[in-house]
Amino acid sequence: MKKIFFLLTVIAFFSACKKDKYTTAPQISFVDIKPNASRVLLSNERDFAPKLIFKITDAEGDFGTNDPLDSSMIYVKNLLINKLDSFRFPDITGATKKDFSAEVSLNLFNALICRFPGPARPRVDTTYLEFYVRDAKKNKSNVVTSSKPLYIICD
């Protein structure tokens, strides 16, 4: 009986020591890339471009304001060509609050680049994305790498 009580006490102790979900620096996690294949075209096919979906938590919720001086950004790096792109947060002023938690969907249309298109067409580049965010107070989140590849089809 004492062993069961001791075991339950240890489990309760480790459960109570769980890391705080909301921190001053934003915390992000990869959810998905949908769809994870895209054809790079010259036409404006923005609506059909892949979307990077990630979860974000933040203690202050200080990003995505309508203020032109808002410096909160999303940074996405294509690991195949080592190119870093930055995107402004969408205006989420109605949702920003303390202990903020949301799922963000970022359109990757402007980040789709073919590496070195050669004579063999179509050519498929396979890449992974590394991304992080900065809030309005320049707090940098953790850096996350997508666990799902993105296939870029070059015509």
Side-chain angles (χ1 to χ4, degrees):
M1 187 68 158
K2 289 181 182 180
K3 288 182 183 181
I4 293 174
F5 179 75
F6 177 75
L7 182 62
L8 291 175
T9 305
V10 170
I11 291 171
F13 175 78
F14 283 111
S15 298
C17 292
K18 185 178 173 185
K19 186 178 175 185
D20 189 14
K21 184 177 179 181
Y22 301 101
T23 59
T24 298
Q27 298 297 310
I28 60 174
S29 62
F30 174 76
V31 173
D32 204 357
I33 297 176
K34 289 184 181 177
N36 73 325
S38 180
R39 189 174 292 276
V40 176
L41 301 171
L42 296 177
S43 62
N44 191 358
E45 298 288 336
R46 180 176 300 277
D47 293 339
F48 301 106
K51 313 255 183 319
L52 172 64
I53 304 165
F54 62 93
K55 288 183 182 176
I56 184 168
T57 60
D58 186 60
E60 295 83 18
D62 55 342
F63 41 75
T65 65
N66 212 6
D67 182 355
L69 300 177
D70 181 10
S71 59
S72 57
M73 301 288 279
I74 305 169
Y75 297 90
V76 179
K77 185 177 191 178
N78 178 333
L79 295 178
L80 178 68
I81 59 174
N82 212 25
K83 182 178 185 302
L84 182 67
D85 286 304
S86 60
F87 301 89
R88 288 189 58 86
F89 251 95
D91 180 11
I92 54 174
T93 50
T96 55
K97 59 182 185 332
K98 295 231 178 255
D99 295 341
F100 177 77
S101 178
E103 192 169 274
V104 177
S105 178
L106 176 68
N107 188 310
L108 295 172
F109 178 78
N110 292 330
L112 297 178
I113 297 173
C114 290
R115 191 170 36 156
F116 300 105
R121 305 244 179 174
R123 186 177 138 190
V124 178
D125 282 340
T126 304
T127 189
Y128 289 86
L129 303 174
E130 186 178 86
F131 59 99
Y132 64 93
V133 300
R134 283 196 192 270
D135 64 17
K137 292 187 177 123
K138 306 259 191 243
N139 295 311
K140 181 180 176 182
S141 75
N142 54 314
V143 179
V144 176
T145 302
S146 62
S147 58
K148 186 176 184 180
L150 174 60
Y151 302 102
I152 303 172
I153 304 165
C154 304
D155 287 332

